[in-house]
Amino acid sequence: MEIKGEIKDIIYRNEINSYMIAIIETEEEEITIVGYLPFIEKGDNLKIIGNFVEHPEYGRQFKIQTFEKIIPESLEALENYLANGKLKGIGPATAKKMVKTFGKEVIHILKYEPEKLATIKGITQEKAIEISKSFNESWDIWQIVSYLEKFGIGPQSAENIYKKLGPNTIKLIEVNPYLLIDVASKINFAQIDNMALKMGIDLENNERIKSGIKYALKLSTNNGHCAVLYENLVQFVKELLNISEDNIENNIIFLQTKKEIILEDRDKQEWVYLANYYLAEKNVAENLIELNNYLNIKQISNFDKKLKKIEKNSDLELSEKQIEAIKSIQDNNVCIITGGPGTGKTTIIKTIIELYKQEGKKVVLCAPTGRAAKRMTETTGEEAKTLHRLLEIGKTNSDELQNIEPNIEIEPIDADIIIVDEMSMVDIFLMNYLLQAIYKGTKLILVGDINQLPSVGPGNVLKDIINSEKITTITLNKIFRQAAKSKIILNSHKVNEGYNFLTQESEEKELLEDFFFIKENNKLKIVENIISLCNGRLKKSYNYDFIDNIQVISPTKKGELGTKELNKSLQKVINPPSEGKIERKFLDFVFREGDRIMQTKNNYDIYWEKKEGTLEIGKGVFNGEYGTILKIDETDKKVKIKFDDNKLVWYNFEELEQIEHSYCITVHKAQRK
C-alpha cells in the first residue's frame, strides 16, 4: 500500500539506526508511521510503501517497508520544506521570498540556475552558489534510499553506506555495484549480484569475482573462522558465481598482490585470510612469544617460603596441580590455567593476588564481559574491569576494532601482572589489542575453560594458544570436595568426558539435589513444563524462587523454544499485567514494571547511584548485567532499573534498545554470567 504526505511531527528518532515514529499528514488524514527513515526531517514530503498494523497500545499505525522523498506539491508545503533548517543559508524569511519569487520553479532554479537566486534582496552571488550546493547535496541524499532498495538494502543501512561513500554514492555504485560488499554488513550478495548482472555486468567481470571471493571469506568469519582452505574457497566461489576456476584463481592472485587477502601454507595445506584477520593472528602470535621470552623480571624471591606462609595463614590446602600452576606463573611471563567448574581456578587467582600484593606489586584483573568482571570481583574481593574498559576502547565498534592498520591508539596497562578470566570468550581482535597494551616484562595469566563455547567474534583464541604448545599450560582436572557434592558440576565433567550424566535416581546420597533431567520431545509440552516449573513447582518442592534461584536457558533466540517466545510466555505468568502496573512498548518488546531484564551493550557513560549507608554515584552498566524494572515514568519518558548489585539507573525511553527480558537467555549469555 502507498501513502503520500508531509511529515508534521517526529515523536521518536533513534540517532544510531534512524528508526522513527512520526506523524505524516496526507490529503485525507494524519497517520502515525513507524520504521527506518534516514535523512528525514519535519516538513519533508514522502511517498511511503508499507501496510497498516494495529498496535495493542497505540492503535492504528503505518509500518514502513520503503520510502521515497518527493518534492512538495503545494507552495505552502514547498515553503515549509525549504525553511526546515537543513539547507544551508535558507531560513523561514528567505524561503518565503524564494517561493514568492519563483513559485514551483524554485526547485529547478536551485538545481540548475542558482545565479537567479541573487535577484532576491539579501542573496549575493556567493550565497546563491552556497545555497545551491547545499540543496544539491541534499538532493543526492534523497535518491540514495530508493536507489539502494533495488539492491535489497533497506533504509536502515542506507545512512551508513552514505557516510562511507559520501555524496557520490550513487555514481560509485553505478560504476561498481560490488562496492556494496565492502561497505555494508550482513547484505544479500545474491541480490546485489543479480542487480549488477541486470545492469550489464559480465559474469566473468573481475570486480564481480573479487567481490565474490571477499564475500565468501566474510561469510566464513561470521561463523567464527579466521581463514578457509584454498580449495574450499575456490569451490564455493565457483558455485556462487557460476564461473571458471581459472578466473577465480587469477583474482585470488590479484587480491593477494594488493594485500587484501593473505595466503599461508600450513601443515601441507593452503589457507586464505582476509588481510586484517591474518594480521591480527600474526600480531597475537608474535607478541605472545616475545612477551613470554622476555626477561622474567617480575618473579618473586624466596617464592616457596612465601607461598607456604600464605597457605598456612589462610588455611588453604593447595593441591599439587594448583601449586604447579602457581609455580608456573612464577617461572613464566605468560601462563595458561584451564579447567572445568570446581577445579580450583579461583583459588589459584586469589593466591597469586595475595603473593604479589605482599610484594608491593600491582595486579590487574580483567574479563571480556561486564558480568564476568563482576563475578571476578565478587570471588576475589579485588576490582576487575572489562577488557574494553581496561583498554579504553569501550566506545569503539567491532568494525573499527578490525582495522588493524592504522591501529587504534591504546594506552599501555600499568601492571606487574595481568590476570584475564573467562579467556574462552576473547576473540582474535580483542586479544590483539590487549597484547599491544602490555609492557614487555609484565606477567600475563590467561584463565579459562576450553570446553566452554568459543567467542562470538572470530577465532578460538584460548584453545588455539593451548594447541600450539608454545605457552606453558596447566590443566586442572581434579574436582574439589565442596564442588564434588554438586550434580551440576559432576555432570558437566561427565558430559565433556563422554559419559552419561547422573540423574535424580542416582544412589549417591551425599550429592546435592540440584540436577534433574526431564525427557520430552513435544514442543508444546516442553513449554508447558518450563512454565509449570518456573511458576510454582520448584517453589513448592524446593523453595526455589524464580527471581532469586531460577534461570531458563535456550540454545537459540528464534522459534517456539527460543528466548524471544519463551520470554513472552514466562512474562505472562511471572509478571502478568495488572491494574497500576505501567507498561511501555518498545519495538517488539513490552516492558512492564517488575520485569527481569538484562543489559545487552556496554554503556560506559550512563550514571547510576547506590544507597548502602552512604550515597555512591558512578558511571557504567555493562553487557550481561541483570536487573529489575522498578518504575516506568510516562511523563518524563524514563524507566528506573535496579540492578543486582543495587545500582539504580534511569533510562530514557530511546535507550531501551540496550535491554531485553531475561526470564530466558541464550547459552552464550548464560556462559557470561
Side-chain angles (χ1 to χ4, degrees):
M1 184 178 179
E2 179 181 298
I3 60 172
K4 288 183 182 180
E6 180 184 343
I7 300 294
K8 285 295 184 182
D9 192 19
I10 295 173
I11 299 169
Y12 165 77
R13 187 209 315 260
N14 184 316
E15 297 295 343
I16 296 173
N17 62 14
S18 298
Y19 182 87
M20 192 181 293
I21 302 171
I23 302 296
I24 189 170
E25 183 181 69
T26 68
E27 290 183 356
E28 295 82 21
E29 60 181 327
E30 287 191 348
I31 299 169
T32 301
I33 57 174
V34 294
Y36 296 97
L37 289 172
F39 319 120
I40 296 306
E41 301 294 336
K42 185 177 175 180
D44 286 343
N45 281 249
L46 306 180
K47 178 173 74 175
I48 302 175
I49 295 173
N51 57 281
F52 281 103
V53 295
E54 194 68 28
H55 189 281
E57 183 178 353
Y58 301 110
R60 184 170 173 259
Q61 298 177 337
F62 193 82
K63 191 172 183 180
I64 302 162
Q65 291 175 0
T66 188
F67 76 96
E68 180 184 342
K69 201 168 178 180
I70 56 177
I71 297 298
E73 294 179 0
S74 71
L75 292 179
E76 181 185 358
L78 189 55
E79 184 182 322
N80 288 339
Y81 165 69
L82 293 174
N84 70 6
K86 290 298 177 180
L87 297 176
K88 193 173 180 181
I90 303 178
T94 304
K96 192 175 190 69
K97 290 177 186 176
M98 289 167 63
V99 173
K100 185 177 180 181
T101 304
F102 299 110
K104 291 186 178 182
E105 289 295 308
V106 69
I107 298 298
H108 176 84
I109 300 294
L110 282 164
K111 286 191 72 176
Y112 304 112
E113 300 180 83
E115 64 278 359
K116 289 185 178 180
L117 295 175
T119 61
I120 297 174
K121 188 177 180 181
I123 299 180
T124 64
Q125 283 287 345
E126 286 183 0
K127 188 176 181 181
I129 298 300
E130 186 180 37
I131 289 172
S132 176
K133 183 180 177 184
S134 175
F135 177 83
N136 283 315
E137 284 177 357
S138 295
W139 181 274
D140 288 339
I141 292 172
W142 296 356
Q143 316 304 314
I144 289 172
V145 174
S146 56
Y147 181 78
L148 290 176
E149 204 260 336
K150 300 174 187 175
F151 295 88
I153 297 174
Q156 64 269 41
S157 299
E159 193 165 7
N160 285 333
I161 292 171
Y162 174 76
K163 285 175 182 176
K164 291 177 181 178
L165 297 182
N168 291 322
T169 294
I170 292 176
K171 289 180 181 177
L172 290 170
I173 294 170
E174 284 175 341
V175 172
N176 177 19
Y178 297 101
L179 188 65
L180 292 166
I181 304 297
D182 295 325
V183 298
S185 59
K186 297 179 182 178
I187 59 174
N188 187 328
F189 177 86
Q191 193 157 359
I192 289 176
D193 188 42
N194 184 52
M195 192 64 198
L197 293 173
K198 285 181 179 177
M199 291 167 64
I201 298 289
D202 188 75
L203 274 176
E204 303 287 344
N205 179 281
N206 286 329
E207 293 299 333
R208 178 175 186 257
I209 299 170
K210 285 184 287 188
S211 292
I213 293 165
K214 288 189 284 186
Y215 169 75
L217 290 169
K218 276 188 179 180
L219 205 59
S220 176
T221 64
N222 290 341
N223 293 323
H225 303 294
C226 290
V228 297
L229 284 168
Y230 183 94
E231 58 265 31
N232 290 351
L233 174 65
V234 171
Q235 184 60 34
F236 180 87
V237 176
K238 180 182 177 182
E239 293 175 5
L240 177 72
L241 302 181
N242 191 28
I243 56 173
S244 67
E245 288 186 14
D246 286 346
N247 267 344
I248 297 169
E249 291 177 344
N250 288 338
N251 278 281
I252 287 175
I253 293 169
F254 179 85
L255 289 170
Q256 185 184 16
T257 59
K258 292 292 184 181
K259 296 184 179 178
E260 292 186 49
I261 65 173
I262 306 291
L263 273 64
E264 182 181 69
D265 289 321
R266 190 169 67 248
D267 300 329
K268 298 181 180 180
Q269 291 181 309
E270 194 166 27
W271 294 84
V272 188
Y273 292 79
L274 287 168
N276 52 338
Y277 287 78
Y278 177 81
L279 288 171
E281 274 200 0
K282 184 171 180 285
N283 290 349
V284 167
E286 290 177 350
N287 286 330
L288 269 176
I289 297 300
E290 187 179 356
L291 182 63
N292 196 43
N293 291 341
Y294 200 80
L295 291 174
N296 191 355
I297 58 177
K298 303 294 183 181
Q299 60 184 335
I300 297 171
S301 60
N302 301 317
F303 177 80
D304 291 339
K305 182 179 177 181
K306 290 172 181 176
L307 178 58
K308 285 179 182 178
K309 186 178 178 181
I310 286 176
E311 281 190 88
K312 184 179 178 181
N313 292 343
S314 59
D315 292 327
L316 280 175
E317 260 188 68
L318 295 170
S319 70
E320 288 183 13
K321 215 51 166 164
Q322 286 177 314
I323 292 172
E324 181 189 349
I326 294 166
K327 287 184 176 180
S328 294
I329 294 167
Q330 161 78 352
D331 296 337
N332 298 277
N333 285 333
V334 184
C335 185
I336 296 172
I337 300 167
T338 184
T343 55
K345 298 190 294 295
T346 300
T347 301
I348 294 171
I349 294 173
K350 290 168 76 172
T351 305
I352 289 296
I353 292 170
E354 189 61 30
L355 269 168
Y356 275 80
K357 281 181 68 177
Q358 287 186 8
E359 294 293 302
K361 305 290 187 184
K362 184 173 181 181
V363 182
V364 168
L365 307 180
C366 56
T369 67
R371 190 71 180 179
K374 179 173 180 285
R375 186 173 180 278
M376 199 179 188
T377 298
E378 292 169 345
T379 56
T380 64
E382 302 288 331
E383 182 190 11
K385 295 181 177 180
T386 65
L387 281 166
H388 283 79
R389 168 163 270 180
L390 178 66
L391 299 169
E392 298 183 351
I393 53 175
K395 296 175 185 176
T396 303
N397 65 42
S398 58
D399 288 340
E400 288 174 314
L401 274 176
Q402 294 177 21
N403 290 329
I404 305 302
E405 293 182 339
N407 287 320
I408 297 170
E409 191 172 327
I410 295 178
E411 288 293 319
I413 301 167
D414 178 20
D416 295 298
I417 180 167
I418 299 169
I419 304 175
V420 186
D421 199 10
E422 300 291 0
M423 255 303 296
S424 64
M425 290 188 280
V426 177
D427 68 30
I428 194 67
F429 292 107
L430 196 52
M431 189 64 179
N432 176 44
Y433 285 105
L434 171 63
L435 289 169
Q436 285 183 42
I438 297 177
Y439 284 115
K440 299 300 179 280
T442 300
K443 284 186 179 288
L444 175 63
I445 315 305
L446 308 176
V447 183
D449 181 355
I450 58 170
N451 291 314
Q452 285 191 333
L453 292 170
S455 60
V456 176
N460 197 350
V461 177
L462 178 63
K463 191 170 184 178
D464 287 347
I465 295 173
I466 292 171
N467 290 342
S468 74
E469 299 183 352
K470 299 293 183 182
I471 302 298
T472 299
T473 300
I474 307 301
T475 302
L476 306 173
N477 45 33
K478 176 187 174 183
I479 305 174
F480 283 85
R481 185 170 53 195
Q482 192 63 32
K485 292 180 180 179
S486 167
K487 282 186 185 176
I488 294 173
I489 290 177
L490 286 175
N491 281 328
S492 69
H493 286 270
K494 281 184 171 293
V495 169
N496 282 335
E497 293 161 8
Y499 298 113
N500 289 333
F501 46 65
L502 301 169
T503 64
Q504 59 267 39
E505 289 81 23
S506 300
E507 296 180 1
E508 291 83 350
K509 302 295 183 184
E510 294 183 4
L511 296 181
L512 295 174
E513 289 298 315
D514 61 356
F515 181 92
F516 302 88
F517 176 67
I518 301 171
K519 187 174 182 179
E520 181 57 70
N521 295 320
N522 183 283
K523 289 182 182 179
L524 182 59
K525 289 183 178 179
I526 291 172
V527 174
E528 289 173 353
N529 256 323
I530 291 170
I531 292 173
S532 173
L533 287 163
C534 294
N535 194 35
R537 275 169 63 189
L538 289 172
K539 175 76 173 175
K540 184 178 179 181
S541 301
Y542 299 96
N543 199 32
Y544 287 153
D545 178 71
F546 182 86
I547 298 298
D548 296 329
N549 309 113
I550 301 171
Q551 179 63 68
V552 181
I553 299 170
S554 171
T556 181
K557 289 184 177 182
K558 298 178 180 179
E560 297 169 68
L561 299 176
T563 58
K564 192 171 181 180
E565 291 304 317
L566 284 175
N567 267 316
K568 290 178 183 177
S569 300
L570 288 165
Q571 184 193 35
K572 286 178 184 177
V573 296
I574 304 300
N575 187 34
S578 63
E579 189 176 346
K581 193 177 282 188
I582 300 173
E583 299 179 353
R584 175 69 188 180
K585 176 75 166 62
F586 185 84
L587 303 180
D588 293 330
F589 303 106
V590 175
F591 291 113
R592 185 176 298 136
E593 291 175 343
D595 272 343
R596 286 289 291 166
I597 60 88
M598 177 198 287
Q599 178 81 6
T600 60
K601 298 179 180 179
N602 288 336
N603 186 333
Y604 292 82
D605 299 319
I606 197 166
Y607 282 92
W608 52 260
E609 64 178 42
K610 191 187 293 187
K611 296 176 182 176
E612 293 177 345
T614 58
L615 177 65
E616 182 185 354
I617 297 174
K619 288 171 70 175
V621 180
F622 305 108
N623 183 13
E625 290 198 54
Y626 292 79
T628 302
I629 295 177
L630 296 185
K631 183 178 181 181
I632 297 176
D633 189 331
E634 291 284 0
T635 304
D636 291 337
K637 297 183 178 180
K638 290 187 175 183
V639 175
K640 188 178 186 180
I641 296 174
K642 182 179 182 181
F643 285 90
D644 288 356
D645 60 355
N646 294 321
K647 291 196 300 276
L648 293 171
V649 186
W650 283 99
Y651 285 72
N652 296 319
F653 280 174
E654 59 265 26
E655 293 175 312
L656 293 179
E657 64 175 0
Q658 299 178 26
I659 65 171
E660 61 185 32
H661 292 110
S662 64
Y663 299 102
C664 179
I665 61 176
T666 62
V667 177
H668 264 292
K669 289 290 186 185
Q671 181 174 301
R672 293 165 183 248
K673 286 184 71 176

